[in-house]
Amino acid sequence: MTGAKAAVEWLASVAPDPEACRWEWERNPQGLALLPAGKAWDVLILPGRLGCPTLDVLSRVIDQPGPVLVDFGDARMGFFVPAGTAAGRLGTGVRTAGRGTWIVVPYPGRSTGGVRWLIPPDGSGTLTDPALLELAMHEAGAGLAGDDDRRP
């Protein structure tokens, strides 16, 4: 199975009706699906100002982070983490999507007008380790604070 096809199968597997989800998703001109979080993955949503440097730090620490979404104008970034992670997360400016929430997910490999994959899923189920993500967020946040301290 190719990467994009495997990614579609992996993502659609969380839908209430995976076959109907795939059928609609592949034919929808916008290439978007509304999928439930909390089954195979949760999403930690960071403001873009923190998300970009966090991804930079994370990418220096591990070869392949899990999938990452970015929304309109890069205002927010969503890191896919193991299911259940969202229940224990509270942080300033960090939002979560876990059990009981739904998230807009673009079709892998297709461009959309808004939400897009910065790191698309590969279909293997790779997710970002929440402990590593938290450390990367702290390091990125410290760097941002240092930048603010140096501004006139």
Side-chain angles (χ1 to χ4, degrees):
M1 202 178 314
T2 66
K5 183 162 177 54
V8 168
E9 293 299 319
W10 178 70
L11 289 166
S13 72
V14 303
D17 183 345
E19 188 172 325
C21 173
R22 281 189 304 276
W23 189 91
E24 177 63 28
W25 203 4
E26 291 169 357
R27 286 153 185 80
N28 181 326
Q30 292 182 327
L32 299 172
L34 192 59
L35 296 176
K39 290 185 174 186
W41 37 260
D42 286 354
V43 182
L44 295 184
I45 304 162
L46 282 59
R49 183 169 188 261
L50 177 60
C52 289
T54 296
L55 183 57
D56 288 343
V57 171
L58 197 59
S59 296
R60 289 192 309 261
V61 176
I62 57 176
D63 290 332
Q64 182 63 37
V68 179
L69 286 175
V70 66
D71 76 351
F72 317 100
D74 298 349
R76 288 181 297 274
M77 293 177 71
F79 292 80
F80 280 54
V81 294
T85 302
R89 297 286 165 182
L90 290 177
T92 304
V94 177
R95 296 175 34 205
T96 61
R99 185 163 298 283
T101 61
W102 294 71
I103 188 162
V104 173
V105 178
Y107 188 89
R110 188 183 302 164
S111 295
T112 66
V115 178
R116 63 185 168 81
W117 291 108
L118 200 53
I119 299 178
D122 61 9
S124 71
T126 299
L127 299 168
T128 297
D129 180 301
L132 288 176
L133 179 58
E134 186 168 350
L135 291 171
M137 287 170 46
H138 286 294
E139 185 173 326
L144 290 173
D147 289 347
D148 288 346
D149 290 344
R150 288 187 284 276
R151 288 191 184 145

